[in-house]
Amino acid sequence: MDKVIMLRYGELFLKGRNRSYFEGVLARNIRRALAPFECKFTRTQNRYYVEEYKFTDEYAIIERLTKVFGLHSLSVAVKVKTDFEAIYAAAIDCAPVAGTFRVSVKRADKKLPMNSMQIAVEAGARILRAKPELSVDLHEPENVVNIDIRENGYTYVFAGSVACAGGMPVGTAGKGMLLLSGGFDSPVAGWRMAKRGMQVLAVHYHSYPHTSLQAKEKVVDLAKKLTPWCGEIKLYVVGFTHIQEEIHRRCNGDFMITVMRRIMVRIAERLAKAEGCGCLITGESLGQVASQTMESITSTEDAVCDLPVFRPLIAMDKTEILEQAEHIDTYDISKQPFEDCCTVFLPRNPVIHPKLDEARSEEAKLEGEDALIQEAIDGAEVLVLGSSAD
Ligand code: ATP
Ligand code: MG
């Protein structure tokens, strides 16, 4: 009796001609997730299987696969040659020891001498004999023992399944540049876009030495946490100190954050275009803080020329966002109390409802803005996280 892990993917997006494309990208992502493990990955018509893995790796493999977007659920199954005695033995093995159950049979191999119903009845009887604490409930069983008889001469027997991440395979919906701070929100925003199939790149602005090196390390750790879901993440770490000092020197202090945000998105847009990204992504949520009023968002958006800015958290409550941060395990990193560059030179009375023309004219007070932006981009540190070498 061999154990295998059976993988299922959502069928919804698999319509028409895109089907083999989606399947191919998903298979590539699964292979990457399995790279650290010794195992065999096989595809049949609409199933994937992980076989010949070390039993001691089973938990780690499942843990990894539940983070691959596009997979819907998985089951650990016993694989046997299609032979009735072997099938019944496997069914007994898979059945729980107590509670209620029923047997469900799928029979793709129509050459067998018994039909699905007959097989289910016989398997059920044998299970009851071997595990007398069990009882049958055909309508609302606590457990279902599934017998899946395939055309290839093999049968898969399993009970129960593990939910996977759902969504679309990463790489099927283009690329996006995430503005990644050390806070709770932006990692969740990146994760949500990856769930829709987007490949995520990231940019982080730091104000060393006004902010500590640990603040930067925190963001690297956040990006690493996302890689099991997002795959490889290219992270640009951009020094923002000189720009901030110039804003501080030249602009009305109350507009500090407004102007900073405008320049952040300008830099992000340039990087995005150089990388072939089709959008920017931020962790903004309407009304959450002063810089996220409608007017603030408008004045930030105004500085982006050609790309859409996706804000997947715009209508989420902080509590919902924090729950997601817990779910993706970024919460504990985000809560570390290192300063973000936005807290440097923080004005006493930041404008909460900036007027667009004032935002523009404050930014225009900067001298040599273009050169400042270019200097920041040229000095960026580029890290590739979650690659197989990482
Ligand atoms: P977060 O929890 O993501 O930091 P926040 O509630 O602290 O969000 P803001 O500080 O107003 O909100 O930031 C809004 C968005 O601007 C962030 O979600 C992020 O996308 C971007 N951002 C802010 N600071 C930085 C930074 N230092 N580097 C890159 N992006 C940033
Ligand atoms: Mg923040």
Side-chain angles (χ1 to χ4, degrees):
M1 273 196 254
D2 288 329
K3 275 179 116 189
V4 303
I5 302 172
M6 256 168 53
L7 313 176
R8 305 179 194 85
Y9 45 88
E11 303 278 330
L12 270 182
F13 59 84
L14 291 176
K15 289 188 184 129
R17 272 184 291 146
N18 278 337
R19 185 182 175 110
S20 64
Y21 170 67
F22 280 105
E23 286 175 338
V25 176
L26 180 56
R28 181 201 67 188
N29 295 349
I30 294 169
R31 276 204 191 87
R32 286 182 182 167
L34 293 173
F37 306 101
E38 221 176 276
C39 62
K40 200 171 111 190
F41 173 60
T42 51
R43 288 169 76 176
T44 60
Q45 272 153 351
N46 39 34
R47 284 272 171 82
Y48 299 122
Y49 299 98
V50 184
E51 306 188 61
E52 296 173 24
Y53 57 86
K54 281 198 232 145
F55 179 63
T56 46
D57 285 339
E58 186 172 280
Y59 182 81
I61 292 176
I62 291 174
E63 169 82 9
R64 237 2 235 92
L65 291 172
T66 55
K67 294 177 178 161
V68 174
F69 287 126
L71 283 178
H72 187 75
S73 68
L74 59 83
S75 297
V76 176
V78 174
K79 177 184 179 186
V80 291
K81 281 243 165 69
T82 298
D83 160 274
F84 286 119
E85 288 309 315
I87 292 172
Y88 299 142
I92 291 169
D93 202 49
C94 284
V97 285
T100 60
F101 81 105
R102 88 181 150 83
V103 179
S104 164
V105 178
K106 268 199 206 141
R107 190 175 60 117
D109 184 348
K110 301 291 177 200
K111 295 189 295 276
L112 294 173
M114 285 163 84
N115 67 27
S116 299
M117 181 63 90
Q118 290 166 320
I119 298 168
V121 168
E122 179 62 23
R126 299 237 192 164
I127 290 171
L128 279 176
R129 232 177 290 150
K131 296 183 170 172
E133 306 276 284
L134 279 168
S135 58
V136 173
D137 182 343
L138 295 181
H139 304 292
E140 285 181 352
E142 289 158 352
N143 304 281
V144 178
V145 176
N146 297 276
I147 299 177
D148 194 359
I149 305 170
R150 313 291 288 184
E151 273 158 329
N152 61 2
Y154 287 99
T155 295
Y156 299 86
V157 184
F158 60 96
S161 64
V162 177
C164 294
M168 313 270 267
V170 167
T172 56
K175 296 201 262 184
M177 181 63 72
L178 169 68
L179 282 87
L180 182 63
S181 69
F184 289 103
D185 305 331
S186 40
V188 175
W191 180 84
R192 288 185 73 102
M193 294 316 299
K195 183 167 182 176
R196 298 305 304 154
M198 187 166 282
Q199 188 190 330
V200 173
L201 290 81
V203 54
H204 173 67
Y205 304 97
H206 71 91
S207 314
Y208 184 77
H210 302 297
T211 55
S212 62
L213 282 177
Q214 285 131 304
K216 185 189 111 182
E217 280 311 310
K218 176 182 177 184
V219 172
V220 172
D221 289 344
L222 282 173
K224 276 190 191 158
K225 268 284 176 205
L226 293 177
T227 58
W229 278 282
C230 299
E232 207 172 90
I233 295 182
K234 191 169 184 180
L235 170 66
Y236 285 87
V237 181
V238 175
F240 212 54
T241 316
H242 191 192
I243 291 174
Q244 270 183 294
E245 287 168 352
E246 284 299 305
I247 301 173
H248 186 59
R249 179 173 316 150
R250 306 203 184 262
C251 308
N252 174 348
D254 295 347
F255 279 80
M256 183 84 205
I257 291 178
T258 310
V259 177
M260 265 171 59
R261 279 292 141 75
R262 288 174 64 91
I263 299 183
M264 280 186 183
V265 292
R266 286 192 197 283
I267 293 174
E269 186 174 22
R270 284 204 202 173
L271 294 173
K273 284 184 175 162
E275 289 286 355
C277 296
C279 69
L280 303 185
I281 306 164
T282 74
E284 288 157 309
S285 163
L286 188 64
Q288 194 190 85
V289 289
S291 58
Q292 294 174 18
T293 59
M294 189 112 80
E295 294 82 354
S296 292
I297 290 174
T298 304
S299 73
T300 307
E301 181 103 13
D302 177 62
V304 189
C305 298
D306 301 319
L307 298 181
V309 182
F310 290 164
R311 299 179 175 85
L313 312 188
I314 196 70
M316 283 175 74
D317 287 350
K318 193 74 183 182
T319 47
E320 291 174 288
I321 297 169
L322 294 181
E323 271 167 29
Q324 293 223 332
E326 295 249 28
H327 173 63
I328 65 175
D329 206 20
T330 52
Y331 184 95
D332 285 337
I333 302 175
S334 293
K335 85 168 182 223
Q336 294 169 20
F338 301 119
E339 282 196 317
D340 184 64
C341 69
C342 298
T343 49
V344 180
F345 305 127
L346 197 67
R348 227 177 278 154
N349 299 304
V351 277
I352 295 172
H353 304 285
K355 294 207 175 74
L356 193 50
D357 53 349
E358 281 184 275
R360 286 175 183 160
S361 56
E362 283 304 322
E363 186 187 352
K365 290 183 186 167
L366 280 175
E367 273 172 30
E369 183 183 348
D370 211 59
L372 280 171
I373 288 178
Q374 199 51 51
E375 176 194 294
I377 289 175
D378 292 343
E381 187 185 346
V382 187
L383 303 168
V384 179
L385 306 167
S387 65
S388 35
D390 194 37

